[in-house]
Amino acid sequence: MIGGVLVASVAVAAYGLVSGAHRYTAAGNPYPGGLVGVAEPVGWFAASLSGALCLGALAYVAMMSRPQPDGLLDAGAFRIHLLAEHVSIAWLLLATAMVPVQAANDSGVTLPELLGGAALLDSIAASETSRGWIVSAICALPVAVTLRFITRWAGHVVLLIPALIGVIATAVTGNAGQGPDHDYATSAVIVFAVAVAMLTGLKGATVITRAAPNRPVLVVQVVCGLLALGYGAVLLFLLGSGGAIGSDFGRLGLVAGILLTLVCASDCRALVVAARSRPPGRGSGITALAMVAVTAALAAMATQTAPRFLTHRFTPWDVFLGYELRQPPSVLGLLTVWRFDGFIGAAAMVLAVGYAVGFVRLRRRGNDWPVGRLAAWLIGCAALVFTSSSGVRAYGSAMFSVHMAEHMTLNMFIPVLLVLGGPVTLALRVLPAAGDGQHPGPREWLTWLLHSRVTTFLSHPITAFILFVGSPYIVYFTPLFDTLVRYHWGHEFMAVHFLLVGYLFYWAIIGIDPGPRRLPYPARIGLLFAVMPFHAFFGIALMTMTSAVGGGFYRSVNLPWLESIVADQHLGGGIAWGATELPVVLVIVALVAQWARQDRRVAIREDRHADSRYADDELDAYNAMLRELSRMRR
């Protein structure tokens, strides 16, 4: 494995040296010197590989460990923990080193000149990819520090979140986040980057620790391989614009695609062997080396300008939106102007199919599951696809008023439907339990996560209330919105954030799924009504502001048919002010129905107790005698 990494590093360095000034002059950029020309692809490869190994090792611990009753890792998982601990330090150092290297590359000056001059900070601020490496380093820091102090399963699962963000950060700030159709490319590269990093990391952890992967690990590897192939083809089409095959960019992409196909075929074969109740064998070092080569090819592709950008004449809409909006929004436009989101929209479709499969499997076993829950979940997923991929998203990325309607739908309407679906309860009833002597599976992972301290904290009604109420103020009334609204990855981040925060809040209010803490029904209704003044004040504040939130971005988009940005913001504030009524009505109806069912169950139990009062009195007397004997013995 180490030898393969060294060979790949030499190959990437040779590419940077041979390509020389050619890849800079082709894009019309100044040549920053041979040191930067070699350091950029080599550093990109090394940092990306380190991040992938860290992510894969954390995922491997989550899937392969057999925690002790107190939550501590077993010996086999601890070896992988040590790998993640060491690799995370290398990831942190390499990502930090890439910040000035990337800034020198993008500003066209040599590295000594940049480090010795006074324009270092300005060059870093002007380079989007440098800022991506800063985010990657910031995410690697808590992973590297926390791994020094934790030895529990839940902690490794939580660290998957910053590891995923760190892997995504550099991908969305590269070629995929620029130019025409960058909304499609950004959504695709999020899935692609995670799939490639996860596949590379799992294989690397398997080979380095000499572990034998279980069936869930093989399933994850096969899924990641298929996702990488599918989304990689989409990215090559979007960035190559038909002429990629004849360029270095296209040839490297073709090599990566062939290697990914071979790796995916090998993993499929191993999964078939494991499905026949035979040991799948130890991780193949050949496929791990193939993924190292894929990472090297992708690093070389990331350090050159995509062929599509070399011939395209950019417009402001290409830069800020990725598409054109010639007509003002209308009901027909919101329904027909579709730009499918390959990240959130695809995830919603997968969730709908997975829930339906679980419903059918449960019914075939003869177990009952309310059809109303199925309907709520499917309607919620359909609404998520529509909100993330229709004209609501297309116009929402350019207009504050439509964006606010999208935000309210994601934060207050869709989570209600998803929570009413009870997906965790369905999963716990459908997923099989691991047998004696077998590795824990998805059912055990879900159970551990539900009982973890992190879930207990996040699902606490007070925590969920603070997140639900405070998020709009933090996002929109700070400079954070100016950054997020500028990029498509920012819109994806806001959508995921508001959806999860809404789900946590409504889980605490009307959650059908099991949770660590449940308030009595009067307190739930009170907490629900306590939210309304905060949302009303938020809407009123937007309606009375004289300056535009995110005004710099909206002025740069410069929609020809939008007369006033401030007036559009006032409309968005009115939407935020009036959008709480329908979700509140839905939640009140659900709470009243749950309350009535609970009272009915209590009444049935009391009637049953009254009918068998004599037998219960004898049983109570017998239990009292046993308690007295126990007390006398003590």
Side-chain angles (χ1 to χ4, degrees):
M1 181 72 178
I2 297 178
V5 172
L6 293 176
V7 171
S9 300
V10 172
V12 174
Y15 162 77
L17 187 63
V18 171
S19 62
H22 171 70
R23 70 177 191 268
Y24 295 91
T25 56
N29 298 328
Y31 182 50
L35 176 61
V36 175
V38 173
E40 187 200 14
V42 173
W44 197 298
F45 164 68
S48 299
L49 184 61
S50 301
L53 287 174
C54 184
L55 176 64
L58 291 173
Y60 211 92
V61 170
M63 290 187 287
M64 288 287 289
S65 62
R66 298 179 179 178
Q68 301 176 17
D70 57 359
L72 295 176
L73 300 177
D74 59 285
F78 186 72
R79 289 197 301 270
I80 306 174
H81 162 88
L82 293 177
L83 171 64
E85 184 178 326
H86 296 142
V87 172
S88 62
I89 298 175
W91 185 22
L92 171 62
L93 296 177
L94 290 168
T96 304
M98 280 298 295
V99 174
V101 171
Q102 194 68 52
N105 177 83
D106 294 344
S107 59
V109 299
T110 63
L111 190 59
E113 291 176 348
L114 181 67
L115 296 176
L120 175 60
L121 295 180
D122 293 335
S123 299
I124 293 175
S127 171
E128 293 184 7
T129 311
S130 286
R131 299 200 300 270
W133 283 115
I134 291 175
V135 173
S136 184
I138 292 174
C139 292
L141 178 61
V143 175
V145 173
T146 307
L147 283 174
R148 300 284 296 179
F149 301 100
I150 64 168
T151 54
R152 297 181 182 275
W153 179 87
H156 292 76
V157 175
V158 173
L159 289 180
L160 282 171
I161 297 176
L164 286 169
I165 297 175
V167 167
I168 293 171
T170 53
V172 297
T173 55
N175 285 317
Q178 316 297 326
D181 297 319
H182 70 256
D183 56 329
Y184 287 139
T186 299
S187 300
V189 82
I190 291 173
V191 182
F192 177 77
V194 171
V196 171
M198 186 70 74
L199 184 58
T200 304
L202 287 175
K203 288 189 170 295
T206 302
V207 172
I208 293 174
T209 59
R210 298 180 180 179
N214 59 2
R215 191 179 303 177
V217 173
L218 292 174
V219 170
V220 171
Q221 290 182 174
V222 170
V223 171
C224 288
L226 295 175
L227 289 175
L229 281 174
Y231 281 88
V234 172
L235 287 171
L236 191 61
F237 173 78
L238 290 174
L239 299 178
S241 187
I245 301 301
S247 63
D248 291 341
F249 188 91
R251 284 189 285 268
L252 289 169
L254 186 60
V255 170
I258 293 173
L259 292 175
L260 279 172
T261 302
L262 296 176
V263 170
C264 191
S266 175
D267 288 340
C268 289
R269 178 181 176 277
L271 183 60
V272 171
V273 172
R276 295 174 179 174
S277 300
R278 289 187 293 172
R282 297 192 178 276
S284 172
I286 297 177
T287 56
L289 292 177
M291 290 310 302
V292 171
V294 169
T295 305
L298 295 177
M301 294 175 67
T303 55
Q304 57 181 289
T305 304
R308 183 177 187 178
F309 302 155
L310 299 179
T311 57
H312 184 78
R313 297 184 62 181
F314 284 82
T315 66
W317 282 352
D318 290 333
V319 175
F320 294 104
L321 294 179
Y323 51 90
E324 297 181 352
L325 290 174
R326 295 292 182 183
Q327 301 296 329
S330 62
V331 175
L332 182 62
L334 295 177
L335 294 175
T336 58
V337 179
W338 277 72
R339 299 186 68 83
F340 183 73
D341 191 311
F343 173 45
I344 297 177
M349 296 177 68
V350 171
L351 290 174
V353 173
Y355 192 100
V357 170
F359 175 81
V360 172
R361 292 184 63 180
L362 196 63
R363 284 297 185 95
R364 286 180 176 176
R365 294 179 186 174
N367 298 324
D368 187 35
W369 185 259
V371 179
R373 296 184 184 180
L374 173 66
W377 180 266
L378 294 181
I379 294 173
C381 291
L384 183 55
V385 172
F386 179 80
T387 305
S388 63
S389 304
S390 67
V392 175
R393 169 56 68 86
Y395 282 94
S397 298
M399 297 178 62
F400 185 84
S401 59
V402 184
H403 165 79
M404 189 53 60
E406 175 192 359
H407 162 200
M408 288 297 158
T409 304
L410 289 168
N411 192 227
M412 302 196 69
F413 179 68
I414 295 177
V416 175
L417 297 171
L418 297 181
V419 167
L420 290 176
V424 177
T425 302
L426 178 64
L428 291 175
R429 294 183 64 180
V430 171
L431 293 172
D436 295 336
Q438 296 182 353
H439 284 284
R443 192 179 192 280
E444 287 71 28
W445 304 335
L446 186 57
T447 303
W448 297 339
L449 189 60
L450 283 175
H451 292 87
S452 66
R453 295 180 180 178
V454 176
T455 305
T456 302
F457 172 75
L458 291 177
S459 64
H460 192 283
I462 302 302
T463 305
F465 175 82
I466 293 174
L467 290 173
F468 189 71
V469 168
S471 292
Y473 293 89
I474 295 175
V475 170
Y476 292 100
F477 294 153
T478 66
L480 183 61
F481 183 71
D482 294 331
T483 300
L484 296 178
V485 74
R486 165 66 178 82
Y487 304 101
H488 185 71
W489 60 261
H491 290 278
E492 299 286 71
F493 176 83
M494 286 189 287
V496 173
H497 169 74
F498 287 125
L499 186 66
L500 292 179
V501 167
Y503 190 94
L504 284 174
F505 177 74
Y506 289 116
W507 182 25
I509 296 293
I510 57 172
I512 296 173
D513 291 327
R517 189 183 297 270
R518 281 287 182 266
L519 292 175
Y521 283 99
R524 299 188 198 183
I525 295 176
L527 194 64
L528 178 64
F529 281 105
V531 167
M532 298 180 66
F534 291 96
H535 276 275
F537 180 79
F538 171 72
I540 293 172
L542 290 175
M543 294 169 64
T544 56
M545 291 177 62
T546 57
S547 59
V549 177
F553 168 77
Y554 293 116
R555 282 189 291 270
S556 299
V557 174
N558 192 25
L559 296 174
W561 36 262
L562 185 62
E563 296 180 358
S564 173
I565 296 174
V566 176
D568 185 63
Q569 177 177 300
H570 291 169
L571 177 59
I575 293 173
W577 178 63
T580 58
E581 295 183 2
L582 179 59
V584 168
V585 170
L586 290 176
V587 175
I588 289 295
V589 170
L591 282 176
V592 171
Q594 289 179 358
W595 200 349
R597 283 196 298 268
Q598 184 189 56
D599 289 344
R600 193 179 303 114
R601 287 193 295 267
V602 172
I604 292 174
R605 284 198 300 267
E606 290 177 351
D607 292 341
R608 188 183 301 116
H609 180 74
D611 293 339
S612 56
R613 187 185 315 169
Y614 179 74
D616 288 345
D617 289 343
E618 285 190 343
L619 180 61
D620 292 341
Y622 180 72
N623 289 332
M625 182 189 68
L626 293 179
R627 286 194 297 270
E628 181 65 19
L629 290 174
S630 177
R631 187 186 64 80
M632 294 175 61
R633 186 176 294 110
R634 289 196 300 268

